[in-house]
Amino acid sequence: MGLLGLSSFSRASSSSMVAYVILVLGLVLNGALPCNGGQTSLFVRKVEKTIDMPLDSDVFRVPPGYNAPQQVHITQGDHVGKGVIVSWVTVDEPGSSKVLYWSENGKQKKQAEGKFTTYRFFNYTSGYIHHCTIRNLEFNTKYYYVVGIGHTERTFWFLTPPEVGPDVPYTFGLIGDLGQSFDSNRTLTHYELNPQKGQAVLFVGDLSYADNYPNHDNVRWDTWGRFVERSVAYQPWIWTAGNHEIDFAPEIGETKPFKPYSKRYHVPYKASGSTAPFWYSIKRASAYIIVLSSYSAYGKYTPQYKWLEDELPKVNRSETPWLIVLMHSPWYNSYNYHYMEGETMRVMYEPWFVQYKVDVVFAGHVHAYERSERVSNVAYNIVNGKCIPVKDQSAPVYITIGDGGNLEGLATNMTEPQPAYSAYREASFGHAIFDIKNRTHAYYSWHRNQDGYAVEADTMWFFNRHWHQLDDSTSS
Ligand SMILES: [Fe+2]
């Protein structure tokens, strides 16, 4: 309310004026001070249903030329960052699965041979999906690469990460639940134009939302691939599977989940001793990144449980100080959407996260933003009643970044009062940046789409849990 509102109060009784002042003060203080838990943003937005960009949108344009490679994307191709998996789709004929590549300063062009695959799903038949792993690259080097050899050639480039080491700075982008709506396009543009310049994206699941269409219309997997190519052809996106990747369709005999996702998005899971592409790890610069699957079995004795149990002791914080976990369904989430869906996995794995001092857990799924305090809830044993999360400096910060754009709209309905573990929450679309400075410090920022590209709507200095385990909470 502005001056016009105040002038109308000049005729009101003094008691209602006092009530008005108290109301305004209350609103201001509610936004400025932590109340119950942390802060619930008062940022005002017009909540509209998100809609997908139409099929003839320019971001979905098919590249010109006979059998031109499309949906080009890269991800890390080995455990340490000397490998890259290059993937693309051709539609007229298989063509070559070869990748030609050379370093910026090198004279010699090299080539790697890949393979292609196709699949059918309902009445959809895919194009020829190529995957080619390039290995033994130099660290910290710009490489050019060409796909579509023999037909329409397209050239792209990427930078390999610096050699793994404890004080290597590196900047990760964070995007989740992206989809292909108009909001998705805004999120990707904001990420690209963020002056902090992310070098690789940690993607926390829910890619195309094709399964929201009749017969899971897989044409929407193709459009999504063309939409994000402008980023993911040039820097690796580290993939996490979300619920929209499950594509469970027993009515057409598809009894195994994740078919279109598995065909299209390869990850280097074997390099970390994993037996399935839905949980794996990589090292990149000074970070050790563990990707988990909320939608694969994770109970005791399951392959994912056994793998994680063996994996966590392997993390050498003297080599990779920053231990980051990605998953789709958040463990700490105070929105009334997907509430407690991550609870069973939390019960299984949270004691390990505290024991091994995970720095931060990024999740998606809830279409909003939330950052937790460092809390744990590991004392409960059914009979002792200790079921409230408590502050714990060995625990990770939990960040929900499922605010990419999706197709289903924002999650605006929150649990009230805000729980004590919730440091900041806001129902806006956006992305985040995790900027590692050295072994002790990382600067984290969240950027909402409505702001200018450099604006930080929520920030935090992370102190490394192994090297600098001081209280880094923003509300104390
Ligand atoms: Fe989801």
Side-chain angles (χ1 to χ4, degrees):
M1 189 173 288
L3 288 175
L4 278 175
L6 276 176
S7 70
S8 66
F9 270 83
S10 63
R11 294 187 299 275
S13 70
S14 61
S15 64
S16 57
M17 188 67 191
V18 169
Y20 172 78
V21 169
I22 289 170
L23 175 72
V24 169
L25 263 176
L27 281 173
V28 169
L29 287 174
N30 188 36
L33 297 174
C35 169
N36 302 311
Q39 186 180 341
T40 297
S41 171
L42 293 178
F43 184 85
V44 176
R45 77 205 46 73
K46 197 169 151 195
V47 177
E48 296 162 329
K49 191 171 164 18
T50 39
I51 32 174
D52 269 357
M53 296 181 282
L55 291 173
D56 60 356
S57 301
D58 57 353
V59 296
F60 298 147
R61 202 163 31 208
V62 175
Y66 178 76
N67 213 30
Q70 55 167 276
Q71 307 172 47
V72 179
H73 55 96
I74 62 170
T75 193
Q76 186 160 317
D78 67 357
H79 204 231
V80 297
K82 292 178 80 169
V84 170
I85 302 172
V86 180
S87 306
W88 69 97
V89 174
T90 53
V91 293
D92 298 317
E93 58 174 290
S96 173
S97 295
K98 207 173 277 178
V99 174
L100 197 64
Y101 63 98
W102 63 96
S103 71
E104 186 176 32
N105 302 316
K107 297 182 185 80
Q108 194 195 355
K109 290 192 177 178
K110 294 180 179 175
Q111 60 183 45
E113 191 65 48
K115 287 182 179 165
F116 74 90
T117 183
T118 61
Y119 72 93
R120 292 178 61 81
F121 204 70
F122 287 92
N123 53 2
Y124 169 92
T125 303
S126 75
Y128 306 96
I129 303 166
H130 303 256
H131 300 285
C132 177
T133 305
I134 310 173
R135 296 181 191 280
N136 300 315
L137 300 168
E138 298 293 322
F139 284 117
N140 216 8
T141 302
K142 183 172 183 176
Y143 283 89
Y144 291 92
Y145 69 97
V146 179
V147 288
I149 290 156
H151 292 134
T152 302
E153 296 185 351
R154 296 183 68 204
T155 305
F156 303 86
W157 54 263
F158 58 79
L159 283 166
T160 51
E163 186 168 3
V164 171
D167 290 299
V168 182
Y170 202 78
T171 310
F172 290 102
L174 285 142
I175 301 177
D177 302 66
L178 185 57
Q180 45 195 304
S181 69
F182 290 97
D183 291 303
S184 319
N185 197 24
R186 280 180 206 113
T187 301
L188 186 55
T189 302
H190 271 248
Y191 171 63
E192 291 171 298
L193 297 180
N194 188 322
Q196 290 184 78
K197 292 282 166 258
Q199 295 166 283
V201 168
L202 305 179
F203 192 89
V204 292
D206 282 0
L207 285 65
S208 75
Y209 290 77
D211 64 335
N212 276 11
Y213 285 83
N215 293 343
H216 304 213
D217 185 1
N218 272 221
V219 167
R220 282 288 176 177
W221 273 108
D222 292 317
T223 53
W224 195 82
R226 296 198 292 270
F227 158 50
V228 296
E229 183 192 89
R230 69 192 203 223
S231 174
V232 71
Y234 298 92
Q235 61 172 248
W237 287 28
I238 308 304
W239 302 110
T240 311
N243 55 305
H244 287 280
E245 278 66 74
I246 298 173
D247 274 313
F248 186 51
E251 65 273 32
I252 53 162
E254 298 289 356
T255 51
K256 281 189 178 173
F258 300 115
K259 183 176 178 181
Y261 171 70
S262 303
K263 289 282 186 179
R264 290 166 183 272
Y265 293 91
H266 281 191
V267 297
Y269 66 97
K270 288 178 186 162
S272 56
S274 168
T275 49
F278 315 113
W279 58 90
Y280 64 101
S281 72
I282 58 164
K283 300 178 197 175
R284 198 164 180 89
S286 45
Y288 201 101
I289 297 156
I290 293 179
V291 178
L292 295 181
S293 175
S294 303
Y295 306 103
S296 304
Y298 46 76
K300 203 159 184 179
Y301 316 118
T302 62
Q304 184 170 206
Y305 180 101
K306 300 266 299 172
W307 176 82
L308 185 61
E309 185 180 34
D310 292 343
E311 178 71 4
L312 284 163
K314 290 180 190 164
V315 181
N316 175 1
R317 303 296 274 270
S318 296
E319 183 191 46
T320 50
W322 294 93
L323 179 49
I324 299 171
V325 177
L326 312 181
M327 61 180 66
H328 186 61
S329 188
W331 293 356
Y332 287 93
N333 154 40
S334 72
Y335 288 82
N336 289 325
Y337 299 81
H338 306 305
Y339 189 61
M340 287 187 61
E341 280 183 22
E343 185 66 2
T344 47
M345 187 193 244
R346 183 192 68 73
V347 169
M348 294 309 300
Y349 294 158
E350 190 181 21
W352 288 345
F353 282 22
V354 175
Q355 180 188 346
Y356 291 98
K357 296 183 178 177
V358 171
D359 288 291
V360 58
V361 176
F362 293 107
H365 201 35
V366 178
H367 297 152
Y369 172 70
E370 184 164 27
R371 174 172 58 82
S372 81
E373 302 289 357
R374 291 195 185 276
V375 289
S376 68
N377 190 3
V378 295
Y380 184 53
N381 68 0
I382 295 191
V383 293
N384 65 8
K386 294 181 180 174
C387 55
I388 309 287
V390 293
K391 287 217 169 194
D392 186 339
Q393 288 304 313
S394 293
V397 170
Y398 294 89
I399 291 176
T400 302
I401 187 81
D403 56 350
N406 71 80
L407 174 59
E408 299 156 342
L410 276 169
T412 51
N413 192 330
M414 304 175 192
T415 305
E416 298 293 354
Q418 185 168 10
Y421 65 73
S422 172
Y424 184 95
R425 57 184 187 176
E426 178 177 326
S428 292
F429 291 121
H431 74 278
I433 298 279
F434 193 78
D435 187 13
I436 297 172
K437 305 291 187 188
N438 52 37
R439 74 180 69 196
T440 56
H441 286 70
Y443 185 70
Y444 167 81
S445 56
W446 173 67
H447 304 259
R448 70 166 81 84
N449 286 358
Q450 288 89 343
D451 293 333
Y453 300 121
V455 176
E456 298 165 338
D458 180 45
T459 62
M460 174 176 166
W461 273 104
F462 274 76
F463 299 162
N464 186 272
R465 289 303 93 184
H466 179 84
W467 290 101
H468 195 58
Q469 199 187 337
L470 302 178
D471 187 346
D472 54 5
S473 88
T474 54
S475 60
S476 61

